[in-house]
């Protein structure tokens, strides 16, 4: 519960509306940057905000979140909102499942509607091999107590009739696997909800504050240099997602991370057509996924653009791949107009799994490497990362995500388990 957040009755809201809405006040802007904090969190994306919220709420620490642009300006406000826990490897599926459980109650916990929509996440099989991979992954999930259902053609037809699975196609549909509790969560609401709840617990969220350096003394970090001056901190957490490589450069410590573009696009609104999230690997084009937004637009995306970049300008060829792959599976989508396309910068690790660990100094921490699937992990990552930063000990859930795995070779690469899953 976030006790300090006021609750308004319907009558009070109506009165305020009629009187010009005067009682709305900014929720996290206007905070003054102090000289010193227990913890400075760099980056007001989903992970930075969620960790700050838990640091203040669960550990009673004085926290600042320093953001070079605006709350929600990064990937937390650019992703396609898919949440699920249908991973093969135990290190991943327990962590992602913890997050999915937290999504189920997050609106209540934050006292803010994040619009969790458990419409199901359907992996489509376009070959017999896909079906076998899904059976293996689904069995691994069920052994861990996570819901997964393998669908043959009649079952698929019942679950998602709009797919017309028996229709003739260049690449026929063989079946699929659904995780019914998977679905979508409104991404902006997640950023705003965590920002508001963190502020209510005393966190200072400072926008337009670029962190440019780390000050150290006797091998310990003492604070950060920022565009607004020096800020003392007992502990520093970097949660800068697509800019993590630059943080490595700033610290003189190259990280096994490359920044790549991922784009997505949305069509004009149409009547309800897709009642779930559909994901598949379209032969020759790579991953494709499609879902329908609350406004009715078909939201589509695919794989990375394929080269490191900070530009946020997606390549036309990838857009073409995604559209071709979508129309091939959903012919009824042909002719619907794309109205918007955008991209974000993703911090890709070599094995596609995140890094939540210490960096060089005992009191400097990293939360990064979310690749193209870090939105869905925000609630679990925030809680666990806060425990690591506050106590110095990583909870079991995030122990596998150490930086040292790239030295020891204990990689967590889901792709070793088959062509799936897409990590969106
Ligand atoms: C098109 C697209 C679709 C996606 N779809 C999905 C999906 O469906 N499901 C899913 O799970 N994931 C998805 N993702 C991935 C997901 O969005 C990211 O993995 C996740 O949001 C990254 O974590 P974050 O929210 O903390 O990052 P961000 O929101 O990027 O936050 C990092 C913040 O750090 C700030 N920053 C950087 N450097 C500094 C500095 N020096 N000083 C101060 N501030 C700094 C940035 O301005 C930024 O606001 C998608 C990503 C993209 C681009």
């Amino acid at each position: 519960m976030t006790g300090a957040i006021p609750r308004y009755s319907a009558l009070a809201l109506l009165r305020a509306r009629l009187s010009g809405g005067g009682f709305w006040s900014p929720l996290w802007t206007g905070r003054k940057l102090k000289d010193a904090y227990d913890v400075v969190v760099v980056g007001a994306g989903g992970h930075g905000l969620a960790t700050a919220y838990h640091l203040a709420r669960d550990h009673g620490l004085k926290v600042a979140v320093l953001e070079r642009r605006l709350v929600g300006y990064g990937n937390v406000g650019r992703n396609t909102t898919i949440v699920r826990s249908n991973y093969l490897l135990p290190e991943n599926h327990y962590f992602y499942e913890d997050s999915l459980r937290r999504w189920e109650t997050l609106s209540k916990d934050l006292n803010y509607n994040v619009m969790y929509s458990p419409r199901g996440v359907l992996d489509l099989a376009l070959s017999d091999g896909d079906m076998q991979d899904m059976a293996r992954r689904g069995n691994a999930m069920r052994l861990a107590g996570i819901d997964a259902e393998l669908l043959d053609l009649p079952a698929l037809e019942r679950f998602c009739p709009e797919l017309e699975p028996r229709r003739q196609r260049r690449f026929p549909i063989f079946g699929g696997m659904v995780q019914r509790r998977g679905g979508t969560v409104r991404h902006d609401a997640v950023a705003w909800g965590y920002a508001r709840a963190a502020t209510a617990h005393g966190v200072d969220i400072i926008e337009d504050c670029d962190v440019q350096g780390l000050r150290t003394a006797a091998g310990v970090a003492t604070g950060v240099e920022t565009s607004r001056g020096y800020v003392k901190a007992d502990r520093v957490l970097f949660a800068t997602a697509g800019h993590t490589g630059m943080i490595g450069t700033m610290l003189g410590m190259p990280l096994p991370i490359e920044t790549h573009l991922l784009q997505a696009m949305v069509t004009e609104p149409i009547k309800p057509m897709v009642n779930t999230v559909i994901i598949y690997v379209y032969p020759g084009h790579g991953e494709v996924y499609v879902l329908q937004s609350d406004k009715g637009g078909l939201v589509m995306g695919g794989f990375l653009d394929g080269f490191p970049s900070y530009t946020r300008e997606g390549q036309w060829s990838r857009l073409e791949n995604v559209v071709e792959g979508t129309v091939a599976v959903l012919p009824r989508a042909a002719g619907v107009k794309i109205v918007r396309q955008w991209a974000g910068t993703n911090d890709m690790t070599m094995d596609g799994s995140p890094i939540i660990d210490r960096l060089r100094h005992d009191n400097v921490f990293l939360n990064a490497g979310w690749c193209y699937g870090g939105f869905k992990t925000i609630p679990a990552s925030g809680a666990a990362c806060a425990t690591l930063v506050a106590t110095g000990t990583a909870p079991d859930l995030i122990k596998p995500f150490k930086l040292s795995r790239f030295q020891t070779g204990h990689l967590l690469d889901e792709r070793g388990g088959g062509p799936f899953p897409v990590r969106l």
Side-chain angles (χ1 to χ4, degrees), residues 45-47 67-68 75-76 79-80 82 211 241 373-376 424:
H47 291 276
E67 164 57 48
R68 64 150 59 124
N75 284 347
V76 70
N79 65 73
T80 41
I82 301 167
V211 173
F375 174 67
K376 66 177 76 61
L424 287 157

Side-chain angles (χ1 to χ4, degrees), residues 42-48 66-83 209-212 239-243 247 250 262-264 289 312 342-347 367 370-378 423-424:
V42 184
H47 291 276
L66 309 185
E67 164 57 48
R68 64 150 59 124
R69 302 292 299 257
L70 306 162
V71 165
Y73 180 81
N75 284 347
V76 70
R78 290 166 191 266
N79 65 73
T80 41
T81 73
I82 301 167
V83 299
C209 181
D210 190 17
V211 173
Q212 298 163 339
T240 55
H243 294 86
I247 301 301
M250 179 198 290
L262 182 71
Q263 55 174 306
Y289 64 95
R312 293 197 170 124
W342 67 95
T345 49
N346 291 357
D347 45 345
N367 176 315
W370 292 107
C371 300
Y372 26 79
F375 174 67
K376 66 177 76 61
T377 58
I378 286 170
R423 286 198 201 83
L424 287 157

Side-chain angles (χ1 to χ4, degrees), residues 49 79 104 134 186 216 223 232 304 312 327 388 409 412:
L49 291 169
N79 65 73
E104 287 165 358
M134 284 176 198
R186 176 77 206 175
T216 61
K232 266 168 63 179
L304 299 170
R312 293 197 170 124
V327 172
L388 169 65
L412 297 170

Side-chain angles (χ1 to χ4, degrees), residues 19-55:
S19 66
F23 75 4
W24 297 112
S25 53
L27 291 170
W28 59 82
T29 53
R31 293 288 182 116
K32 293 253 171 355
L33 181 61
K34 302 186 183 76
D35 295 337
Y37 292 91
D38 296 328
V39 185
V40 159
V41 176
V42 184
H47 291 276
L49 291 169
T51 307
Y53 165 69
H54 283 284
L55 281 167

